[in-house]
Structures are given as C-alpha cells and as structure tokens.
Amino acid sequence: MSDANKTTDVVAPADKPVVAPEPVTAATEPTPNTEVPVTAAIASATEPTTAATTTTAAPIATETTGQVKTETAPTQETTELAEEKEASPLAQLWEAAKNHDHPEIWGVPLADPANHIPSQIVFQKYLNANDGDLVKAKDQLIKTLDWRKKSDPLELVRRMYSKTKFEGLGFVTTYVVDGKEVDEPEEREIFTWNIYGGVKSIDETFGNLEEFINWRVALMELALQELNICGAVKPITADYDPYKLFQVHDYKSISFLRSPPHVKSASAETIKVFAQNYPELLKEKFFVNVPAIMGFVYGFMKLFVAPKTIKKFHPMSNGANLAKEFDESRIKGLGEKLPVEYGGKGGELKAVGKEPMLTAE
C-alpha cells in the first residue's frame, strides 16, 4: 500500500476527543499493467486475499451535453483477458505448455514458437488436427503432455523388448532421393511397418496390453527420430506440412473373424493412444493383405479418429500392389525401393529397416 493510502494512528491528549483524520484520495493514474504468472493467478484463486482497491478517475463533463461521465481504470483481470485475446493461437499454446511440468513432445524441447521452428511445427500440428479450434487444440496438447509425462516415450524407445514376442513385427524405413544428401523434408519418405502376420504367438505378443503398447509407442518414436522435427528449419501451415509418415499394416495370415478379446483390446487401445498423442503425423496408411471383413478395426477407428484422417486409410487385399501407390512422390521410383513382397525391388525389411531394441534371448 502506498503512503498516500495509509491511515495514521492518532493519539489525542486525555482532555480532548479523538478526531479521525480525513481519508486521503488515491491517485487517479491508472494502475500499471503488470503480467502475473499463471501460478500466481492459480494461487490467488485458492488462497484468501485482501480486497483490492478500485481506482476511479475524477468525473469528466462532456463538451456537448455537460453530463458527467465516470471513467474506470482497467482492472488487472480485464487487462489479462485483453492480452490473451491479442496473443496468437501458437503463443497461447506455448503459454499452456510453459505451465506444464513436462518439457517435450516427440523429442522436441518446447520453446517459444516465434523463434523456435520445431516448436512451431508441434503446436501448429495440434491446431491443424482440430481445424484451428484453439480450445480443442489446447485440450489435446495438455492431454499429450500429461500422457508423455506418465509414459515417458523417450525412455520407451531406449528400452529392450522381448525378442520372442516382437522380433520382425515392426520396422522403420527411410527412403531418400538417389545420390543426394537430404536437407529438405520433401526429399525423404519415412515408413513404419507393422507386420502382424508375423506374430508367432498371439497370447504372448498381445497378452500383456501395457507391454504391447510400450513396444508400439517405441516404434513410433523411432520413426519420429527419422522424421527429425528437431532439425526442422521450415515452419508449417494449415496447408503445408511435409513432416508426416507413411504407415503400412500387413495382416497376411491374420484371421479377423477369430481374433481373441486381447487382440481387439490391443487394437482399440493403440488407436486411442495414437489419435490422442500423435496428431497430424500420418500422411497415408495402408492396410495390406486384408480380408474383405475388417469391421471391428474400422469400427474402433471411426470412434477415435477424425473423419479427415479416416480418408487417408487404404485397405488392400494384395500387398504386392503397394508399390503402385507412390507414383506421385517427389522421390523418383519410390515404389521400386520398397521390398519385393510389396511390389518393389528393394531389400527385405529385416535388412533395411530399424526395429525397437530387442533382448538377445
């Protein structure tokens, strides 16, 4: 409290009554706008506070009517609301991320998107995934930060997984323009491959849901390392975003009619985790060697995946036709670089692909 607003204790002689001093009017200059940390704002909402003094300007007579008009200085609350409205959506997402105690997404240490392009890409993807709806984007961002804090995907990608359960089931491959050192994201294509037809024991691979999800997340994080958003030098927009992956799911020899409950649970949980925590990273997704009936898979997808994402899904009964799908890539002859069993002329996935680390059992 300023000296002008302090009252003074007055002690009168014993033979004279006490006369209270007249109150001193506070200065009429507007209170400076000060930025208050969110943590302080939260504290003020939960702890007892002293009443704030409202500063009111002197009455002003208008020239035309002579009526008296009173102007009130802006309060701290209205000032903060005005500043929030003026901040860009990316800046508001950064503000929300700053107030969370988890510092990264997809291996990108989050920073001010105004001068950190990798962070701009992350925040823009959350906006794009929600069609520019800031409230929804912020909600999804916070949920991702909560999930990453709890699950620690960067640790999962360094973890060893059972060779018996997961060997040969997931790969990441990267294809680049021949004879060129790649600096541009448009000059490389990254694939994740899930070879569910290679499962040796359904009970062992899918029986422990947490272990399966951890392995599946590790595969995705391995692909994100190849995508290298951390090294990005080009910002993205709602219409331009080369930082995306192809995904191939091979269901050869898998029966969709006799899938046990734990397989369906693993599929449902994977869809939920990825839809929530890896938005706008999918370029196109191919389901190859699938039977005509994929009812339960698409049923779960429609529940948790955005309609515009569903349009990127392509079921194919013959995996050998996959190579024909990439004629429009900037990488000339991309289809031919794929493994022979998918219609290309490239090496086998075990020879050219990367897997999450496996135990030596």
Side-chain angles (χ1 to χ4, degrees):
M1 183 180 295
S2 66
D3 293 340
N5 287 331
K6 291 182 179 178
T7 56
T8 307
D9 293 335
V10 178
V11 180
D15 58 344
K16 292 186 180 181
V18 175
V19 180
E22 294 184 1
V24 180
T25 304
T28 59
E29 295 180 2
T31 305
N33 296 333
T34 56
E35 185 177 351
V36 178
V38 174
T39 52
I42 295 174
S44 66
T46 57
E47 299 177 2
T49 58
T50 56
T53 302
T54 302
T55 303
T56 305
I60 301 174
T62 62
E63 294 181 359
T64 56
T65 64
Q67 295 178 346
V68 175
K69 179 174 67 175
T70 301
E71 295 183 353
T72 303
T75 64
Q76 177 177 307
E77 181 179 359
T78 58
T79 300
E80 289 178 345
L81 288 173
E83 290 176 349
E84 183 173 343
K85 287 182 178 180
E86 291 175 2
S88 71
L90 292 178
Q92 292 186 57
L93 291 179
W94 164 229
E95 190 66 28
K98 276 198 301 184
N99 292 314
H100 199 283
D101 53 3
H102 187 76
E104 63 78 38
I105 289 180
W106 311 333
V108 174
L110 298 177
D112 187 347
N115 48 42
H116 188 242
I117 288 176
S119 294
Q120 185 274 338
I121 291 172
V122 172
F123 294 136
Q124 186 66 51
K125 280 181 179 288
Y126 279 82
L127 280 174
N128 292 350
N130 292 280
D131 297 320
D133 188 316
L134 178 60
V135 174
K136 291 181 179 179
K138 188 181 295 185
D139 178 68
Q140 185 176 10
L141 179 75
I142 295 301
K143 287 178 178 176
T144 295
L145 288 167
D146 290 342
W147 176 80
R148 292 188 74 86
K149 177 183 177 182
K150 178 181 178 180
S151 301
D152 195 2
L154 298 186
E155 189 278 328
L156 294 180
V157 78
R158 296 190 295 266
R159 185 178 296 182
M160 303 286 285
Y161 296 91
S162 169
K163 184 176 182 180
T164 301
K165 296 178 181 180
F166 300 109
E167 183 183 24
L169 303 187
F171 299 93
V172 175
T173 59
T174 302
Y175 303 101
V176 299
V177 177
D178 288 336
K180 186 171 183 180
E181 196 166 317
V182 177
D183 293 321
E184 300 293 331
E186 296 93 340
E187 295 178 344
R188 64 174 177 265
E189 298 286 13
I190 297 159
F191 286 67
T192 61
W193 305 77
N194 291 93
I195 316 300
Y196 291 124
V199 172
K200 300 177 182 68
S201 169
I202 287 178
D203 290 336
E204 287 193 4
T205 298
F206 298 100
N208 184 327
L209 180 59
E210 182 180 358
E211 184 182 25
F212 174 80
I213 294 297
N214 287 345
W215 170 81
R216 187 66 183 81
V217 166
L219 181 66
M220 184 63 177
E221 294 289 327
L222 193 62
L224 286 170
Q225 290 178 5
E226 293 293 304
L227 197 60
N228 192 28
I229 295 177
C230 288
V233 295
K234 282 185 176 181
I236 66 172
T237 67
D239 301 314
Y240 169 77
D241 182 2
Y243 295 95
K244 295 185 178 183
L245 312 162
F246 286 113
Q247 291 186 352
V248 180
H249 286 202
D250 189 343
Y251 292 95
K252 189 175 182 179
S253 302
I254 293 289
S255 171
F256 286 82
L257 297 177
R258 297 191 299 272
S259 296
H262 50 272
V263 173
K264 295 182 179 180
S265 296
S267 177
E269 185 64 19
T270 301
I271 292 168
K272 287 192 290 185
V273 167
F274 277 63
Q276 173 65 56
N277 302 300
Y278 296 99
E280 288 296 297
L281 289 167
L282 179 65
K283 187 172 290 186
E284 288 185 89
K285 188 168 190 172
F286 298 90
F287 299 87
V288 303
N289 296 318
V290 298
I293 299 175
M294 287 187 66
F296 83 88
V297 173
Y298 279 101
F300 284 124
M301 288 178 182
K302 289 177 181 178
L303 286 174
F304 301 107
V305 179
K308 66 178 182 180
T309 302
I310 288 288
K311 294 179 181 178
K312 301 176 182 178
F313 293 177
H314 310 286
M316 304 175 63
S317 60
N318 186 357
N321 292 327
L322 180 62
K324 300 176 183 178
E325 299 291 326
F326 303 102
D327 293 339
E328 297 181 3
S329 172
R330 287 187 60 173
I331 299 179
K332 185 178 179 181
L334 176 60
E336 294 184 352
K337 296 177 183 291
L338 302 187
V340 173
E341 62 184 301
Y342 299 104
K345 299 178 180 178
E348 293 184 359
L349 291 175
K350 288 185 178 181
V352 300
K354 295 182 179 180
E355 291 185 78
M357 291 189 294
L358 301 172
T359 58
E361 59 186 60

